[in-house]
Amino acid sequence: MMINRRTFSTALVAGVATSILTGSDKTRAQTGPKARNIVLVHGAYADGSCWSEVIGILQQAGLKATVVQHPLTTLEAGVEATRRAIALQDGPTILVGHSFAGMIVSEAGVDPKVSSLVYVAARAPDAKEDYTALAKTFAAPPASAGLVWSEGYGKLSEEAFLRDFAGGIPHEKARILYAVQGPISDRLFTGKTTQAAWRSKPSWYAVSTEDRTINPDLERFMAKRMNAKTIEVKAGHLSLISHPREITQLISQAAGQLS
């Protein structure tokens, strides 16, 4: 059933009682143009369907959602696929990335059509920064030990996927997500961004406080470094599935649809 924008706003506000909005007075002025185009990019071990819950809420609000299905082979291939999606948008666009896709957002987000960036439990490296080296300055998340490689491609073991990657998701649904897990190339994590779009674009960040795939303290560090408007969601790595209303509210704020 379609809902009007006022009802949508009220429902979102009611749904974020456990989220904490943070940020300093030095946060960049969020003065970008209103946007109705939302481009969503998935991370490793997943595909575009992980955004389904968020997409439904965005569409009910009259926003146009486009999901990038990138091949999980190299950073460059992901960026190319995202740039193609951005090129098809008809005006200001919000670029949203989950997990590994934060690197894609940081690189492709310099496109003039992109007005704001949203990171969801995502990597947010600086230009030419070695993200792996940065991550090693924080305690290793449990999921890292569950990555199994075969013939140049890696997947999380079922135990690691269900416990560490999809923690907080009902077991039946988590098993479906495991079944469609996208294998990653052994070259995917070796790429480095050449751009850090968050240095020039208004940015938002959703920290998952119970994340076992990216250390939550690393997420907080990256969010603070980019002066992002930040929320903390009591969720595992897949907050976009377990807490879609909180994530959609953040995207709507970035789009100028909510104050």
Side-chain angles (χ1 to χ4, degrees), residues 45 142-149 153-157 160 181 183-185 189:
Y45 321 122
S144 301
L147 187 54
V148 180
W149 295 95
Y153 285 85
K155 298 181 74 173
L156 291 174
S157 68
Q181 176 185 182
I184 64 169
S185 164
F189 293 158

Side-chain angles (χ1 to χ4, degrees), residues 102-115:
M103 296 188 68
I104 296 174
V105 166
S106 294
E107 184 77 19
V110 297
D111 189 289
K113 281 188 178 179
V114 175
S115 56

Side-chain angles (χ1 to χ4, degrees), residues 75-110:
L75 171 62
E76 292 76 14
V79 170
E80 181 182 356
T82 302
R83 285 173 173 159
R84 289 197 298 269
I86 295 170
L88 295 174
Q89 306 307 308
D90 59 3
T93 299
I94 307 304
L95 186 58
V96 187
H98 172 247
S99 195
F100 170 79
M103 296 188 68
I104 296 174
V105 166
S106 294
E107 184 77 19
V110 297

Side-chain angles (χ1 to χ4, degrees), residues 198-217:
W198 49 264
R199 288 197 170 275
S200 58
K201 302 289 178 78
S203 301
W204 279 255
Y205 199 109
V207 172
S208 287
T209 64
E210 299 178 357
D211 203 322
R212 293 172 62 88
T213 300
I214 296 179
N215 188 313
D217 286 334

Side-chain angles (χ1 to χ4, degrees), residues 2-172:
M2 298 295 288
I3 59 177
N4 63 38
R5 202 163 301 138
R6 182 182 298 274
T7 302
F8 170 71
S9 301
T10 301
L12 282 177
V13 170
V16 296
T18 60
S19 298
I20 304 173
L21 282 170
T22 63
S24 71
D25 292 337
K26 295 182 180 179
T27 300
R28 289 187 192 88
Q30 312 298 347
T31 57
K34 282 192 175 184
R36 305 201 67 77
N37 301 312
I38 316 295
V39 172
L40 305 154
V41 193
H42 66 84
Y45 321 122
D47 65 10
S49 66
C50 66
W51 287 108
S52 296
E53 299 292 333
V54 168
I55 292 168
I57 302 173
L58 290 172
Q59 289 178 338
Q60 286 181 328
L63 300 177
K64 175 189 171 186
T66 300
V67 175
V68 177
Q69 296 279 16
H70 63 96
L72 297 175
T73 52
T74 64
L75 171 62
E76 292 76 14
V79 170
E80 181 182 356
T82 302
R83 285 173 173 159
R84 289 197 298 269
I86 295 170
L88 295 174
Q89 306 307 308
D90 59 3
T93 299
I94 307 304
L95 186 58
V96 187
H98 172 247
S99 195
F100 170 79
M103 296 188 68
I104 296 174
V105 166
S106 294
E107 184 77 19
V110 297
D111 189 289
K113 281 188 178 179
V114 175
S115 56
S116 297
L117 314 170
V118 180
Y119 294 80
V120 180
R123 300 183 178 202
D126 205 344
K128 300 181 180 179
E129 182 174 43
D130 185 335
Y131 175 83
T132 300
L134 172 64
K136 287 181 178 178
T137 65
F138 294 81
S144 301
L147 187 54
V148 180
W149 295 95
S150 175
E151 299 183 356
Y153 285 85
K155 298 181 74 173
L156 291 174
S157 68
E158 184 171 6
E159 180 182 10
F161 190 98
L162 299 179
R163 180 191 62 207
D164 303 324
F165 184 74
I169 305 296
H171 185 71
E172 293 78 7

